[in-house]
Amino acid sequence: MKKREVHIVGNWKMNQSLYEISQFFIEMSKMKMELKCKAWIAPQAIHIPILKEMAFTTGAIYIGAQNCSNQDSGALTGETSPASLADLGVEFVIIGHSERRTIFGEGNELLNEKVLAALKNNLKVIYCVGETLAERESDQTYKVIDEQLLVGLKNLPADKAHLLMIAYEPVWAIGTGKVASAEQAEEVHGYIRSKLTHRASETIILYGGSVKPDNIDALLRKENIDGALVGGASLKAQDFRQLCSIASVLM
Ligand code: 13P
C-alpha cells in the first residue's frame, strides 16, 4: 500500500495527430479500466479541449498543459495563459520540463514566476527538476536540484502548497532508454522531500525518464516515488493502460 495516491502522467510533448488521439481513446474505452491510480495526460495545448471531451467519455482521465505563461494576459504572442487554462477547466500544468529549460532557455527565475502564476489560478503544478549527465558525473546533482527547488519554488504561498507536485526527471534518462535505477531515483526523491518546506510528507513526487511497463513496478515500490511522468510510453493506449494497471495494484 502506498502512502500517497499514485499518479501516472502522460506527457505527450509535440506528438499525436487527431487520428492518433481518437484511436488512443477508442482503445482506452475498450479496455474498461478500473483505475485506482490517478491517470493524467498533457497533450499539445491546441488539443486540450478535444482531449477534455474524449477523456470525459472514457472516464477518469484528467487533462493538463505542458507549459504556461508567467502572465494571465497581455501582449505575449504565442503564449498560453494560465488563466485561460483554468477557464477551460484544465486540471494541471507541467512547469520547468527539461526541454523547456534547455531548448527554450527557461531559467529558474522565470519558472518561479510561472509556478506562482499557475498556482494563483488554482492549477495543480508539476514542477520538474533534474540533472544532466555531465552534472551527475561531476557530482553536481544535489547542487543543481537545490537551486531548481530554492529559486523555482521561491515565495510559494503556504495555502497553495497542496497544489504543488514535483517531478524528478534526470535529463540523461529522458527519451534515452536509460532509466535511473529504482535505488538511484529513490535517493534523489528522498532528498527532494527533505528539502520541501511545506507539506513535505504529503507532496507527490513523480519520477520521469524512460519509464515503461517493464520498469515501473520497481520504481513505484520505493517509498518516495509516488508515480511517473511518462513520455514515449504514454502515447499508445496499450502501454498507458498497462502503466495504470501496474500502479493500481499498488494502491
Ligand atoms: P520518456 O518517457 O520518453 O523518456 O520522456 C520522459 C519525459 O520527458 C516526460 O516528461
Side-chain angles (χ1 to χ4, degrees), residues 11 13 97 99 169 173-176 208-212 229-233:
N11 174 8
K13 309 193 179 185
H97 190 279
E99 286 146 22
E169 295 207 306
I174 296 177
T176 58
S210 297
V211 173
K212 305 271 180 292
L229 183 53
V230 189

Side-chain angles (χ1 to χ4, degrees), residues 10-250:
N11 174 8
W12 280 4
K13 309 193 179 185
M14 205 172 71
N15 294 304
Q16 307 283 59
S17 65
L18 285 179
Y19 175 74
E20 288 164 330
I21 293 171
S22 63
Q23 289 303 109
F24 180 95
F25 283 101
I26 289 169
E27 289 299 314
M28 288 299 277
S29 54
K30 277 193 213 150
M31 294 187 233
K32 296 258 178 295
M33 286 199 285
E34 227 220 273
L35 281 181
K36 290 211 191 104
C37 70
K38 299 275 183 193
W40 293 4
I41 292 174
Q44 299 180 53
I46 194 171
H47 290 150
I48 288 173
I50 295 166
L51 254 91
K52 274 194 71 67
E53 219 165 282
M54 290 187 183
F56 182 75
T57 50
T58 313
I61 298 180
Y62 288 123
I63 305 305
Q66 300 171 8
N67 176 35
C68 72
S69 171
N70 59 344
Q71 306 288 325
D72 279 354
S73 63
L76 291 161
T77 303
E79 285 289 83
T80 301
S81 155
S84 303
L85 291 174
D87 247 5
L88 271 179
V90 164
E91 197 77 16
F92 70 96
V93 57
I94 300 169
I95 292 179
H97 190 279
S98 77
E99 286 146 22
R100 300 297 315 172
R101 290 177 184 269
T102 54
I103 303 170
F104 299 96
E106 297 187 358
N108 290 325
E109 294 281 351
L110 173 66
L111 295 171
N112 177 239
E113 292 174 14
K114 291 186 176 209
V115 167
L116 298 182
L119 292 176
K120 190 183 76 180
N121 285 287
N122 291 318
L123 294 166
K124 294 193 175 86
V125 168
I126 301 177
Y127 178 63
C128 303
V129 299
E131 80 288 1
T132 61
L133 186 57
E135 288 161 348
R136 174 161 280 262
E137 286 177 344
S138 56
D139 284 331
Q140 304 283 301
T141 300
Y142 291 113
K143 184 169 171 276
V144 169
I145 288 174
D146 277 345
E147 186 77 1
Q148 289 171 335
L149 291 174
L150 195 72
V151 180
L153 300 180
K154 202 172 47 185
N155 300 327
L156 179 78
D159 66 339
K160 302 282 184 187
H162 63 288
L163 297 172
L164 179 73
M165 297 162 64
I166 308 287
Y168 169 55
E169 295 207 306
V171 181
W172 48 271
I174 296 177
T176 58
K178 277 191 218 155
V179 63
S181 70
E183 290 70 29
Q184 268 174 330
E186 170 65 9
E187 189 183 312
V188 181
H189 279 233
Y191 180 78
I192 292 170
R193 195 175 300 289
S194 77
K195 290 281 157 182
L196 296 176
T197 49
H198 304 290
R199 300 171 57 87
S201 65
E202 288 113 310
T203 301
I204 300 291
I205 307 179
L206 309 173
Y207 168 80
S210 297
V211 173
K212 305 271 180 292
D214 64 5
N215 60 28
I216 193 169
D217 184 73
L219 289 160
L220 292 184
R221 285 183 187 277
K222 294 292 178 190
E223 180 178 345
N224 288 295
I225 303 181
D226 308 312
L229 183 53
V230 189
S234 69
L235 296 170
K236 294 268 175 293
Q238 203 80 32
D239 288 343
F240 188 67
R241 146 90 216 214
Q242 218 182 324
L243 292 169
C244 293
S245 306
I246 295 167
S248 293
V249 170
L250 297 173

